[in-house]
Amino acid sequence: MKPEEIERMRDEALDAFAAAGDLDALQAAKVAHTGGTSPLALANREIGALPPQAKAEAGKRIGQARGAVSKALAGRQAELEAERDARVLVEEAVDVTLPHDRVPAGARHPLTTMMERVADVFVSMGYEIAEGPEVEAEWFNFDALNFVPDHPARQTQDTFFVQGTREDGKPTVDDESGIVLRTHTSPVQARALLDRELPVYIVCPGRVYRTDELDATHTPVFHQIELLAIDEGLTMSDLKGTLDHMVKALFGADMKTRLRPNYFPFTEPSAEMDMLCYVCRGESVGNPDKPCRTCSSEGWIELGGCGMVNPRVLVACGVDPEKYSGFAFGFGIERMLMFRHNVEDMRDMVEGDVRFTRPFGMEI
Ligand code: PHE
């Protein structure tokens, strides 16, 4: 139990700790130099057999050596842990600015979600969704809706005729077998009245076609929403209340509509429906300091057409106009999307560029 022996044991332990390059190596060195079978532990056990004087001395030396060893161990342990933590922070760092989804979730087109949003307003009031074909019999698109045979809307410059045009390109007005791409969703009114039991409360979102060139404010294919309510005792105030409810639900509780006289063959009386400009709420009117681009400072935005269903339409569809009455309206979804979201060019809606649709979000 020479002092040099004990120093050697201590120094070997200190060297082993210093040489340990990681926490595993340090753990092994710890077992070897401080464990029950380590040289210093064995030496400690031998102290008991020494004579008193030597015992005290050896005890002190070994105690000091073991104290130095455990201090060195704790120091190296702390060093290696700090090193590991620093390394882990670097190695396991996550770059939160990297794109997180390499295959971004898709979303439906804002026109689709807009149509559903409008339809939902009516579904929640008990209306049913109705649909009709886009390739439609001329009879449903025009005749059943009281368009006279030479009504200008039947001209080929407005209507895509699929079948039933004359050599000179004019529609065959006396041929009921004509087939057109529907120019509005109103033929679904006639279909619903023929198909369903009364009363009828339907909403019909759908695609319609007109022979317009694609430009900033026209597209030959666009979308409308049609509403039809036929029951006993319905009046124009029911129409007005329904319109007001719709714009409140879509644009806010302080919204309202106004009606201006107009003409449609299938409604009588007919009206053009406007809604309060949802941007300026009418405040731009007579207020040159606060002009409104959305409504051109008119205070109102034109939504579409409406009216009380013409009794002639009811008769054409086998409904007794003495007993039943009702109202209908229809409007374009593209236009609504344009002023609701400040879309300036209708072409953006049909070109399919995701840079247009993305800001509308991932609504599904
Ligand atoms: N179908 C008409 C249009 O396309 C709109 C409308 C629908 C008018 C229902 C009155 C009633 O312009």
Side-chain angles (χ1 to χ4, degrees):
M1 196 70 61
K2 293 192 188 105
E4 313 86 73
E5 280 285 288
I6 294 171
E7 273 168 28
R8 183 182 54 75
M9 290 174 194
R10 181 197 64 196
D11 291 346
E12 273 176 16
L14 300 191
D15 288 349
F17 296 160
D22 58 31
L23 288 164
D24 287 343
L26 185 65
Q27 177 63 22
K30 176 184 173 183
V31 171
H33 295 280
T34 67
T37 56
S38 65
L40 276 173
L42 294 177
N44 197 44
R45 239 175 274 156
E46 284 168 24
I47 297 175
L50 296 176
Q53 181 56 35
K55 190 177 187 171
E57 205 166 299
K60 192 176 160 208
R61 265 187 229 292
I62 292 177
Q64 279 172 349
R66 295 180 90 192
V69 165
S70 61
K71 197 170 160 220
L73 174 65
R76 186 66 182 143
Q77 176 89 19
E79 246 171 57
L80 288 173
E81 276 173 6
E83 251 172 47
R84 178 205 53 198
D85 291 350
R87 191 180 60 245
V88 161
L89 277 181
V90 173
E91 282 173 2
E92 297 181 10
V94 175
D95 182 353
V96 292
T97 66
L98 285 175
H100 62 287
D101 47 355
R102 269 179 275 175
V103 184
R108 284 183 306 165
H109 195 278
L111 279 174
T112 314
T113 45
M114 189 72 220
M115 273 201 292
E116 283 193 5
R117 185 166 291 171
V118 178
D120 277 354
V121 171
F122 295 107
V123 168
S124 68
M125 287 198 275
Y127 282 74
E128 286 180 273
I129 306 266
E131 284 182 327
E134 291 170 25
V135 179
E136 180 60 286
E138 196 179 346
W139 188 84
F140 278 111
N141 197 78
F142 292 125
D143 300 79
L145 299 174
N146 192 38
F147 282 83
V148 288
D150 56 357
H151 191 283
R154 296 199 189 216
Q155 300 295 303
T156 44
Q157 63 260 36
D158 289 326
T159 306
F160 285 112
F161 278 83
V162 176
Q163 184 184 304
T165 49
R166 290 201 312 236
E167 293 282 273
D168 58 8
K170 296 221 177 75
T172 53
V173 291
D174 53 356
D175 178 2
E176 287 190 357
S177 70
I179 293 179
V180 300
L181 296 185
R182 66 179 180 192
T183 57
H184 51 178
T185 41
S186 299
V188 182
Q189 289 188 28
R191 286 184 173 272
L193 290 177
L194 287 168
D195 285 354
R196 292 168 189 249
E197 298 287 319
L198 291 158
V200 163
Y201 288 88
I202 54 129
V203 56
C204 168
R207 201 174 283 139
V208 302
Y209 302 82
R210 286 183 202 171
T211 56
D212 288 321
E213 293 290 333
L214 180 63
D215 65 24
T217 53
H218 295 88
T219 146
V221 186
F222 58 104
H223 299 78
Q224 287 189 332
I225 279 231
E226 186 89 10
L227 190 100
L228 174 70
I230 302 289
D231 205 339
E232 289 179 46
L234 290 182
T235 70
M236 203 131 182
S237 63
D238 296 305
L239 165 62
K240 174 79 167 119
T242 306
L243 288 173
D244 280 345
H245 174 76
M246 175 182 76
V247 294
K248 283 183 205 306
L250 291 171
F251 293 92
D254 57 339
M255 266 293 148
K256 53 185 180 183
T257 59
R258 74 172 181 188
L259 301 180
R260 287 177 290 122
N262 195 9
Y263 173 78
F264 296 103
F266 41 97
T267 45
E268 182 60 35
S270 301
E272 206 64 48
M273 49 176 176
D274 295 344
M275 56 173 256
L276 200 60
C277 172
Y278 95 109
V279 174
C280 72
R281 291 326 210 227
E283 277 166 22
S284 63
V285 182
N287 196 350
D289 301 339
K290 280 197 197 163
C292 179
R293 278 202 303 157
T294 304
C295 64
S296 313
S297 300
E298 299 270 331
W300 296 90
I301 298 172
E302 190 180 311
L303 250 194
C306 65
M308 299 307 289
V309 175
N310 193 321
R312 284 166 171 263
V313 173
L314 297 179
V315 170
C317 298
V319 175
D320 179 3
E322 297 294 324
K323 191 169 174 212
Y324 289 97
S325 60
F327 56 84
F329 64 77
F331 59 87
I333 293 294
E334 277 77 357
R335 257 184 59 76
M336 182 176 267
L337 199 68
M338 282 178 99
F339 63 72
R340 196 172 189 265
H341 296 277
N342 286 324
V343 179
E344 294 198 335
D345 195 323
M346 222 177 240
R347 284 167 289 201
D348 289 334
M349 296 185 204
V350 300
E351 278 170 353
D353 188 328
V354 290
R355 287 173 299 180
F356 168 72
T357 50
R358 205 174 272 147
F360 287 90
M362 293 289 128
E363 241 174 302
I364 48 170

